Amino acid sequence: MGYSSEVYELAGREMEQRKLYAEQELEKRRNRLYDICPRAREIERELVTISVSAGKRVIMGSDVRKELEILKGRSLGLQKELDELLISNNLPKNYLEEWYVCDKCGDTGNIDGRMCSCMKNLLKKTAYEQLNRSSPLSLCSFEAFSLNYYSKIKDEKSGKIPYNYMQSVLRFCKKYADEFSPESHSLIFQGGPGLGKTHLSLSIAQTVIDKGYGVIYVSAPNIVSRLENDRFGNNSERKAETEQLLNECDLLILDDMGTEYQSKFGVSVMYNTLNTRLMTNHPTIISSNLSAKEIQEMYGTRMMSRIIGMLDRIEFTGNDIRQLKRRERRK
Ligand SMILES: [Zn+2]
């Protein structure tokens, strides 16, 4: 897929950093070896001298083959001595070579003029990071999700004990994240504000990213206004990139659906994104404060039938945690 020039630039910079890091680390290892074993420095110097003098002999021309044979023999002998030095110091055989992130291309991003798979992955990762920039990823974890804010008294309206019920929701979300695969189901988290929907969806995002999947976590207002700005700012390149990432990432989490600015454009962004992903079997998690009736009113029947028919609904219940926390702080 095509990416914006910004993504190419950032990925290119990261690739240069990788190469530089490999060189710097090699230099450090080399100096450490010289410290514990000064003979290694001498051998390396001699090896350089040999290759320089081999070059000179070739230029001068006199009985080249014979002389080169002698130099080659010396060089092999020195190399063997160096290898043995590494072994006797319990160091790996490749200790004096660059340790690349990608051995296929030596962190250049190219193999014979073609883009290496590591560069393709880096471009994808960079594009996701760019989109996720405004999300508080890595701030939330399942471990930090406290059930203590949920009441242990039965809620008459729902007939549930919020503490017990949310414990099962937490367990479900953790299992979903741990077992995530591109075949996972799509979900909708529904319930009033401050019930932990964002916390748990961020925790899922973090776990699934750690498993190596491409995850985009965006709030509905952010993504709608980004696409709208790109459309009106004639930035069709970036708009196409964003749409493609939304459609193709392994997991898309659309937070706060229904809080975006109400417009035909916003409704069509939400519907098209969800519909495309459902049609191509890409899992999506939506979280929303809206009730089913409100979703129907806001987005229409088509959207509602997709959600009811194809998303597993997870209801969030309890008291607004943000309010409880504020009250606690005031005490
Ligand atoms: Zn590579």
mmCIF file of all heavy atoms in Angstrom, residues 15 102-111 116-119, ligand 1:
data_model
loop_
_atom_site.group_PDB
_atom_site.id
_atom_site.type_symbol
_atom_site.label_atom_id
_atom_site.label_comp_id
_atom_site.label_asym_id
_atom_site.label_seq_id
_atom_site.Cartn_x
_atom_site.Cartn_y
_atom_site.Cartn_z
ATOM 1 N N MET A 15 15.194 3.529 10.241
ATOM 2 C CA MET A 15 16.093 2.547 9.630
ATOM 3 C C MET A 15 17.552 3.005 9.768
ATOM 4 O O MET A 15 18.435 2.208 10.079
ATOM 5 C CB MET A 15 15.697 2.388 8.159
ATOM 6 C CG MET A 15 16.204 1.134 7.504
ATOM 7 S SD MET A 15 15.796 -0.398 8.360
ATOM 8 C CE MET A 15 14.265 -0.866 7.622
ATOM 9 N N CYS A 102 17.625 -6.698 11.236
ATOM 10 C CA CYS A 102 17.260 -7.581 10.119
ATOM 11 C C CYS A 102 18.532 -8.040 9.415
ATOM 12 O O CYS A 102 19.229 -7.227 8.811
ATOM 13 C CB CYS A 102 16.342 -6.848 9.143
ATOM 14 S SG CYS A 102 15.991 -7.818 7.663
ATOM 15 N N ASP A 103 18.798 -9.347 9.506
ATOM 16 C CA ASP A 103 20.011 -9.867 8.872
ATOM 17 C C ASP A 103 19.876 -9.955 7.355
ATOM 18 O O ASP A 103 20.872 -9.975 6.649
ATOM 19 C CB ASP A 103 20.337 -11.263 9.440
ATOM 20 C CG ASP A 103 20.897 -11.157 10.856
ATOM 21 O OD1 ASP A 103 21.584 -10.144 11.125
ATOM 22 O OD2 ASP A 103 20.640 -12.045 11.681
ATOM 23 N N LYS A 104 18.614 -10.005 6.913
ATOM 24 C CA LYS A 104 18.413 -10.158 5.459
ATOM 25 C C LYS A 104 18.976 -8.965 4.687
ATOM 26 O O LYS A 104 19.572 -9.106 3.648
ATOM 27 C CB LYS A 104 16.911 -10.300 5.152
ATOM 28 C CG LYS A 104 16.389 -11.686 5.455
ATOM 29 C CD LYS A 104 14.984 -11.876 4.900
ATOM 30 C CE LYS A 104 13.970 -11.121 5.751
ATOM 31 N NZ LYS A 104 12.597 -11.247 5.294
ATOM 32 N N CYS A 105 18.751 -7.758 5.229
ATOM 33 C CA CYS A 105 19.156 -6.565 4.471
ATOM 34 C C CYS A 105 20.223 -5.757 5.208
ATOM 35 O O CYS A 105 20.647 -4.705 4.738
ATOM 36 C CB CYS A 105 17.938 -5.679 4.193
ATOM 37 S SG CYS A 105 17.263 -4.926 5.672
ATOM 38 N N GLY A 106 20.672 -6.229 6.368
ATOM 39 C CA GLY A 106 21.680 -5.475 7.118
ATOM 40 C C GLY A 106 21.181 -4.082 7.501
ATOM 41 O O GLY A 106 21.930 -3.105 7.498
ATOM 42 N N ASP A 107 19.891 -3.997 7.829
ATOM 43 C CA ASP A 107 19.256 -2.724 8.236
ATOM 44 C C ASP A 107 19.416 -1.612 7.206
ATOM 45 O O ASP A 107 19.551 -0.430 7.564
ATOM 46 C CB ASP A 107 19.786 -2.274 9.610
ATOM 47 C CG ASP A 107 19.325 -3.206 10.723
ATOM 48 O OD1 ASP A 107 18.445 -4.057 10.447
ATOM 49 O OD2 ASP A 107 19.838 -3.099 11.844
ATOM 50 N N THR A 108 19.397 -1.995 5.935
ATOM 51 C CA THR A 108 19.379 -0.951 4.899
ATOM 52 C C THR A 108 17.951 -0.786 4.385
ATOM 53 O O THR A 108 17.612 0.220 3.787
ATOM 54 C CB THR A 108 20.266 -1.337 3.702
ATOM 55 O OG1 THR A 108 19.780 -2.591 3.174
ATOM 56 C CG2 THR A 108 21.721 -1.486 4.105
ATOM 57 N N GLY A 109 17.104 -1.814 4.626
ATOM 58 C CA GLY A 109 15.714 -1.738 4.150
ATOM 59 C C GLY A 109 15.560 -2.207 2.711
ATOM 60 O O GLY A 109 14.449 -2.255 2.193
ATOM 61 N N ASN A 110 16.699 -2.546 2.074
ATOM 62 C CA ASN A 110 16.646 -2.963 0.668
ATOM 63 C C ASN A 110 17.446 -4.229 0.430
ATOM 64 O O ASN A 110 18.491 -4.427 1.026
ATOM 65 C CB ASN A 110 17.254 -1.871 -0.228
ATOM 66 C CG ASN A 110 16.311 -0.706 -0.366
ATOM 67 O OD1 ASN A 110 15.239 -0.841 -0.942
ATOM 68 N ND2 ASN A 110 16.700 0.438 0.182
ATOM 69 N N ILE A 111 16.942 -5.062 -0.460
ATOM 70 C CA ILE A 111 17.738 -6.202 -0.934
ATOM 71 C C ILE A 111 17.717 -6.141 -2.455
ATOM 72 O O ILE A 111 16.646 -6.224 -3.064
ATOM 73 C CB ILE A 111 17.133 -7.554 -0.484
ATOM 74 C CG1 ILE A 111 16.911 -7.575 1.032
ATOM 75 C CG2 ILE A 111 18.034 -8.703 -0.900
ATOM 76 C CD1 ILE A 111 16.136 -8.788 1.506
ATOM 77 N N CYS A 116 12.882 -4.533 1.500
ATOM 78 C CA CYS A 116 12.928 -5.707 2.376
ATOM 79 C C CYS A 116 11.640 -5.774 3.216
ATOM 80 O O CYS A 116 11.013 -4.747 3.495
ATOM 81 C CB CYS A 116 14.148 -5.603 3.288
ATOM 82 S SG CYS A 116 14.323 -6.993 4.418
ATOM 83 N N SER A 117 11.284 -6.968 3.640
ATOM 84 C CA SER A 117 10.046 -7.121 4.426
ATOM 85 C C SER A 117 10.122 -6.321 5.738
ATOM 86 O O SER A 117 9.103 -5.838 6.239
ATOM 87 C CB SER A 117 9.790 -8.596 4.725
ATOM 88 O OG SER A 117 10.911 -9.143 5.388
ATOM 89 N N CYS A 118 11.335 -6.135 6.280
ATOM 90 C CA CYS A 118 11.444 -5.384 7.539
ATOM 91 C C CYS A 118 11.029 -3.920 7.316
ATOM 92 O O CYS A 118 10.446 -3.291 8.182
ATOM 93 C CB CYS A 118 12.864 -5.474 8.108
ATOM 94 S SG CYS A 118 14.090 -4.538 7.199
ATOM 95 N N MET A 119 11.352 -3.391 6.145
ATOM 96 C CA MET A 119 10.988 -2.008 5.832
ATOM 97 C C MET A 119 9.469 -1.894 5.653
ATOM 98 O O MET A 119 8.851 -0.944 6.123
ATOM 99 C CB MET A 119 11.707 -1.548 4.560
ATOM 100 C CG MET A 119 11.511 -0.087 4.229
ATOM 101 S SD MET A 119 12.204 0.965 5.536
ATOM 102 C CE MET A 119 11.905 2.589 4.863
HETATM 103 ZN ZN ZN B 1 15.431 -6.119 6.204
#
